[in-house]
Amino acid sequence: QVQLVESGGGLVQPGGSLRLSCAASGSIFSIYDMAWYRQAPGNQRELVALIASGGTVTYADSAKGRFTISRDNAKNTVSLQMNSLKPEDTAVYYCRAKVKVQRGSDAAYWGQGTQVTVSS
């Protein structure tokens, strides 16, 4: 089985920055794409950024120009650098990874989420 643990959330003022990190561990054979999602109060969960195993990245329109996703394949980690934060960025941010588990098939795994609050 696989566990994903997010860290780095917190309270920040508008215009500030945060960096989220996610570490995957467990019975991992390989990790395909890794992504960050978020869910704000009253909204459905949405994709923020995705990075494929080869390094190709995809961003939501709301994140383009402000957020940067990166990964360290050797450490099975993915990060999200968030700059110029806005109140509308407030949400619980979730890490998601598509994983091939040892002695198993592909499956998506989710972290527990980390709260990001942008407020003055």
Side-chain angles (χ1 to χ4, degrees), residues 81-92:
Q81 177 67 45
M82 304 186 294
N83 299 325
S84 302
L85 284 162
K86 306 173 182 179
E88 50 262 45
D89 294 318
T90 296
V92 177

Side-chain angles (χ1 to χ4, degrees), residues 5-6 8 12-13 21 29 31 36 43 51 68 88 94 96:
V5 180
E6 302 99 334
V12 64
Q13 294 185 339
S21 296
F29 182 82
I31 301 178
W36 287 96
N43 296 319
I51 182 166
T68 302
E88 50 262 45
Y94 297 90
R96 192 274 289 155

